[in-house]
Amino acid sequence: MSNVDYSIRGRIAVIAFQAPPVNSLGFALRDGLVSALERASADAAVDGIVLIGSNGTFSAGADIREFGGAAVRQGPTLWTLNSLLDSMPKPVVAAIEGVALGGGLELAMSCHHRVALATARVGLPEVKLGLLPGAGGTQRLPRLIGIENALNVMLSGEPLSVGMFAKSPLFDAVVETDLLGAAVKVAETSAAALKTGQALPRARDQRIREPDLEALMGFARNTVKTAFKEYPAPLAIIDAVQFGAKNGFDAGQAEEGRLFKQLMDGTVSASLRHIFFAERAASRIADLPADTKPRNVQQVAVIGAGTMGSGISINFLNAGIGVRLLELNKEALDRGVVRIREVFEGQVKKGKLDVAKLEARMALLKPVLAYEDIGDADLVIEAVFEEMSVKEQVFSKLDAVMKPGAILATNTSTLDVDHIAAITQRPQDVIGLHFFSPANIMKLLEVVRGAKTAPDVLATAMTLAKKIKKTAVVSGVCDGFIGNRMVHQYVAQGMAMVDEGASPEQVDKAIEKFGFAMGPFRMGDLAGNDIGWHIRKRQYASGSHVKRQVVADRLCEMGRFGQKTGSGWYDYKKGDRNAYPSPVVAGVIDEARKAAGITPRKIEPAEIVDRLVYALVNEGARILEEKIAQRASDIDLVYLTGYGFPIWRGGPMRYADSQSLYEVARRMRAFGAQPGGDAEFWTPAPLLARLAAEGGSFTGGAA
Ligand code: 3HC
Ligand code: NAI
């Protein structure tokens, strides 16, 4: 809902507008603003106009929800609004508090004057959505703050403090208080100047002064070509700026419009817009009452000071929350404390942290050896060995010592959270908090909701995730939760292709070229191949019908666990993280193929990519159908923030949509039907088959 209010102060019209929560410039608000401006233009009692947000903010820009649909072009458009401002016969002042971002700042730059509160932030974040500022921003900003500064603002997309531009023509005044009063004054002064014959100042009329335009643009172009290889928007920004600087404002604006449309229609922007909404949707939990009050968490305890326990602790120390770190013995505890200090020291060396902050963070850490010392913590996170019997011991101790109402969390990556909860007398207080390694760096946090987890425990986990700057995604309980359950199919498919004829490096190269940070074999070598081996051995022993991974098992039997043992799917050299193809591994693969009677065939990179990604998609579809994930965009977030899926492709589910689910299902069936193909593996999950038949999609995004 939007609202545009028109009032008069002396001889100045005040147009106060709002479209909560962020005053995005959707159709209704644009329409209201055009009417109010036309009214003020015609109002004989009015000499000047102030545009101000009436809810503490100016505007976060175009309404992103309209993008990709018809509404974005429903008149009056932002372009109509800004050209109306250009032709206003009376001075218009933008009064900015809160934020003026994207189209919001472009609207302000189309006004004759701008006044801002010192706390306000401005920016052109379109690049983060795969777009360029498309309502005159690429033309007006260089004319107000110079080309180099403008490029920095547009290419970073960051919201910036107005203080940075206080002395540029971007602002007539930056004030501490009484924004409206200051804006009215600027309007009055400008109206008086107009009466004496002075022209109204317009950004479009400013001359661009850049002595060596070609050199500057050449430099900018080279920089973004390497930094943003897969993203077309940064280059388009440079092109639009350069075109306008050479050919004048109107030609520049036309070129900007052409490029904006091209980017908007492209897949990269569609993916980035999908991610924008995915990030916000992930915190909404359908059946969690809106008034659920999170529990208060001021003191955290972490059990186990190994790889994960120390990383997890760092997150809380960074957020100023005290951590008690508990271990089995003093040696392990000391090792954990040293590991934590080393991470902070590394940040000091890089200039990211000062020594005082390092000490302040370390002072929040209390190493302990007795459970009695953690009893009053509000949240305890267990990160001990991945053995159910060990988890059982830890949780029965926690049940005995933790104060009532404390949240008991497990960082398990594979074990049954409901089983762990049932060890205690308070299953409602138990939850999974699945951090990813390294836990102080990786953004993803899978919040695993047990069958009995209380609503306020879930709400607390989501609130806390924000505090420690994690992207939280809720998962139901199943083997591997969302991320690892899917990755299991992906890795299995990688191994199947090695059985059929590909080498590990061919598989890795193909998917890395697609954009994954790391292929399945390099990933295995980094994480440790022994983890999967232990799980497989348990599965073989239980008699479950899992396919024997002959090559992978053989490599583990040979002690080739990965980087940590100096060899795995690849060979490694001391002090060198590069993976070198291994003749030993090639021999093991050869032998296994011979034993199975397989004649190896060449597998094309396109088939490798499709099989790996569709393996993820098919399991993702099952996870959606079983309601383990709430929505397809949650699955995408898991893969983007936890598994190095290429950002510009929007995540596996969004990527499948972009290919059309019909095509995905068709190719999957074709993989099942080819000689030696695994027809069962490649049967589309029921949800995928249904959506493919209906012409539907997982994410609601256009194909
Ligand atoms: N359009 C539509 N909805 C928007 C929006 C926008 N431009 N900006 C924010 N929202 C919505 C969010 O989706 C969210 O909705 P929800 O509550 O239903 O999930 C709600 O507003 C609040 O947003 P946040 O959760 O992000 O709130 P914060 O207070 O953390 O942040 C903000 C506020 C800094 C304004 C942040 O939302 C933001 O950066 N927004 C995007 C700004 C942007 O990219 N603008 C450029 C748009 S493109 C453009 O203008 C094109 C033009 O050049 C032609
Ligand atoms: P680790 O072996 O590095 O650390 C485990 C630590 O727990 C050791 O320091 C050990 O001394 C301590 N410990 C064992 N029993 C204990 C007990 N009863 N009381 C107190 N301390 C005890 O293991 P890591 O990798 O940190 O894993 C811990 C948990 O995190 C496991 O459940 C694992 O599945 C999970 N996890 C691991 C990830 C990884 O990449 N390493 C990623 C996500 C989750």
Side-chain angles (χ1 to χ4, degrees):
M1 274 299 285
S2 73
N3 176 41
V4 179
D5 183 59
Y6 186 94
S7 64
I8 303 287
R9 265 210 182 192
R11 293 193 58 78
I12 304 298
V14 175
I15 299 175
F17 60 90
Q18 60 170 301
V22 294
N23 299 349
S24 60
L25 290 154
F27 165 72
L29 181 54
R30 297 193 302 266
D31 198 38
L33 286 173
V34 166
S35 302
L37 285 167
E38 283 173 343
R39 176 175 167 189
S41 200
D43 192 338
V46 164
D47 291 340
I49 300 144
V50 168
L51 275 184
I52 188 166
S54 54
N55 52 348
T57 194
F58 191 73
S59 168
D63 188 338
I64 305 167
R65 289 166 301 186
E66 290 183 348
F67 288 3
V72 72
R73 293 194 183 90
Q74 188 180 359
T77 63
L78 259 181
W79 296 267
T80 324
L81 186 54
N82 290 347
S83 58
L84 171 64
L85 282 164
D86 266 342
S87 65
M88 286 294 284
K90 301 172 184 178
V92 185
V93 182
I96 300 170
E97 64 178 317
V99 294
L101 298 175
L105 180 59
E106 291 174 296
L107 176 71
M109 289 193 293
S110 304
C111 296
H112 303 103
H113 305 277
R114 286 151 299 276
V115 177
L117 262 193
T119 49
R121 285 175 308 143
V122 293
L124 292 174
E126 286 87 344
V127 72
K128 296 187 176 177
L129 299 170
L131 297 169
L132 53 61
T138 65
Q139 305 304 309
R140 289 193 177 86
L141 193 62
R143 286 170 167 77
L144 290 169
I145 63 170
I147 289 199
E148 194 174 347
N149 287 337
L151 282 179
N152 286 336
V153 171
M154 289 187 275
L155 294 174
S156 77
E158 286 303 312
L160 302 163
S161 152
V162 294
M164 288 176 67
F165 307 103
K167 293 200 162 56
S168 76
L170 187 54
F171 294 108
D172 294 73
V174 173
V175 297
E176 296 294 332
T177 53
D178 191 16
L179 174 66
L180 181 57
V184 167
K185 222 174 255 159
V186 169
E188 287 168 348
T189 310
S190 184
L194 182 67
K195 281 191 182 142
T196 68
Q198 271 187 41
L200 287 170
R202 299 188 306 175
R204 56 173 293 141
D205 301 330
Q206 303 287 316
R207 284 204 31 225
I208 290 188
R209 285 179 201 83
E210 182 51 60
D212 202 348
L213 182 70
E214 297 295 326
L216 176 63
M217 300 317 258
F219 175 73
R221 214 167 252 121
N222 284 341
T223 314
V224 305
K225 264 189 198 154
T226 38
F228 306 104
K229 258 201 310 255
E230 313 294 344
Y231 299 86
L235 268 183
I237 288 173
I238 296 170
D239 287 346
V241 170
Q242 186 164 15
F243 198 88
K246 268 189 175 163
N247 303 297
F249 184 89
D250 287 326
Q253 196 166 357
E255 181 63 1
E256 176 195 92
R258 188 185 71 79
L259 291 167
F260 184 77
K261 183 171 179 323
Q262 204 174 64
L263 293 171
M264 173 83 89
D265 293 343
T267 56
V268 174
S269 175
S271 296
L272 296 179
R273 277 154 23 215
H274 166 67
I275 296 171
F276 178 87
F277 289 115
E279 282 169 344
R280 284 151 184 88
S283 56
R284 284 195 283 272
I285 302 168
D287 59 341
L288 194 67
D291 56 354
T292 310
K293 211 172 150 292
R295 297 186 190 174
N296 192 11
V297 176
Q298 288 185 332
Q299 184 64 237
V300 171
V302 175
I303 318 283
T307 310
M308 294 308 288
S310 31
I312 292 168
S313 301
I314 291 170
N315 288 300
F316 292 99
L317 300 174
N318 284 342
I321 298 172
V323 176
R324 314 254 168 90
L325 183 59
L326 186 144
E327 253 295 347
L328 280 176
N329 55 53
K330 183 150 181 341
E331 293 69 41
L333 190 56
D334 289 347
R335 272 200 304 274
V337 174
V338 166
R339 197 176 295 139
I340 292 171
R341 181 174 271 281
E342 278 172 358
V343 169
F344 289 137
E345 281 172 352
Q347 289 172 346
V348 171
K349 267 195 203 129
K350 287 186 194 146
K352 288 184 180 167
L353 194 73
D354 61 39
V355 175
K357 283 204 177 114
L358 176 154
E359 292 307 340
R361 283 175 202 189
M362 288 308 290
L364 287 171
L365 179 69
K366 192 170 171 221
V368 300
L369 288 167
Y371 276 78
E372 287 63 37
D373 293 332
I374 63 165
D376 63 346
D378 306 298
L379 161 72
V380 52
I381 304 173
E382 161 281 309
V384 303
F385 301 136
E386 187 74 344
E387 283 292 336
M388 188 52 102
S389 57
V390 185
K391 308 275 190 204
E392 283 173 356
Q393 277 171 24
V394 169
F395 273 82
S396 32
K397 277 202 197 124
L398 291 177
D399 197 21
V401 300
M402 298 308 294
K403 69 179 181 188
I407 296 174
L408 316 185
T410 170
N411 182 49
T412 180
S413 26
T414 50
L415 301 175
D416 183 347
V417 175
D418 288 332
H419 178 98
I420 293 173
I423 303 293
T424 71
Q425 300 300 309
R426 36 175 138 175
Q428 74 283 358
D429 294 338
V430 176
I431 193 164
L433 291 180
H434 185 212
F435 288 83
F436 286 69
S437 181
N440 51 313
I441 291 175
M442 296 295 287
K443 290 291 284 177
L444 179 61
L445 176 65
E446 277 183 324
V447 173
V448 186
R449 175 184 197 176
K452 296 200 173 149
T453 304
D456 63 343
V457 169
L458 189 57
T460 311
M462 300 307 281
T463 310
L464 207 55
K466 267 202 186 125
K467 229 182 232 170
I468 60 171
K469 300 195 170 78
K470 296 288 175 199
T471 302
V473 174
V474 177
S475 171
V477 176
C478 67
D479 194 357
F481 315 127
I482 298 172
N484 283 345
R485 175 168 158 185
M486 285 165 68
V487 92
H488 182 72
Q489 303 298 344
Y490 163 89
V491 170
Q493 203 40 226
M495 293 187 191
M497 285 188 278
V498 166
D499 289 344
E500 289 169 41
S503 65
E505 50 276 21
Q506 277 167 350
V507 172
D508 281 352
K509 272 213 183 100
I511 198 73
E512 285 164 14
K513 190 140 187 271
F514 174 81
F516 261 84
M518 222 181 260
F521 297 104
R522 286 215 293 139
M523 185 180 77
D525 276 0
L526 182 69
N529 299 313
D530 50 322
I531 302 175
W533 188 40
H534 287 308
I535 297 171
R536 287 197 300 278
K537 279 197 289 189
R538 254 196 313 240
Q539 288 168 336
Y540 301 153
S542 74
S544 57
H545 296 292
V546 286
K547 183 175 176 278
R548 280 199 178 258
Q549 296 296 352
V550 178
V551 176
D553 292 348
R554 178 78 194 108
L555 295 180
C556 285
E557 282 154 20
M558 294 162 82
R560 299 183 70 104
F561 292 165
Q563 283 191 22
K564 61 184 172 191
T565 57
S567 67
W569 289 98
Y570 295 91
D571 288 337
Y572 297 90
K573 297 177 184 164
K574 243 199 155 82
D576 175 358
R577 286 182 160 240
N578 287 319
Y580 296 92
S582 162
V584 176
V585 174
V588 171
I589 294 170
D590 232 22
E591 231 171 74
R593 284 181 192 147
K594 278 193 191 121
I598 296 170
T599 311
R601 69 173 176 99
K602 183 171 183 330
I603 306 184
E604 294 299 331
E607 180 178 339
I608 295 177
V609 168
D610 282 353
R611 285 175 62 176
L612 289 176
V613 177
Y614 296 167
L616 290 175
V617 170
N618 209 27
E619 197 61 26
R622 287 192 194 99
I623 283 174
L624 257 185
E625 194 148 44
E626 290 169 27
K627 300 197 174 0
I628 295 294
Q630 291 192 89
R631 51 184 82 81
S633 64
D634 281 5
I635 297 178
D636 284 338
L637 268 193
V638 166
Y639 266 77
L640 294 163
T641 56
Y643 293 83
F645 196 94
I647 307 284
W648 67 92
R649 298 190 192 274
M653 308 313 270
R654 159 77 215 166
Y655 175 73
D657 284 348
S658 76
Q659 303 246 296
S660 108
L661 297 188
Y662 170 82
E663 191 53 24
V664 172
R666 192 187 66 77
R667 275 190 250 175
M668 285 173 53
R669 290 190 184 104
F671 293 139
Q674 67 189 6
D678 185 340
E680 193 187 333
F681 185 93
W682 288 120
T683 303
L687 177 65
L688 172 55
R690 180 166 61 73
L691 290 173
E694 288 169 356
S697 70
F698 290 126
T699 63

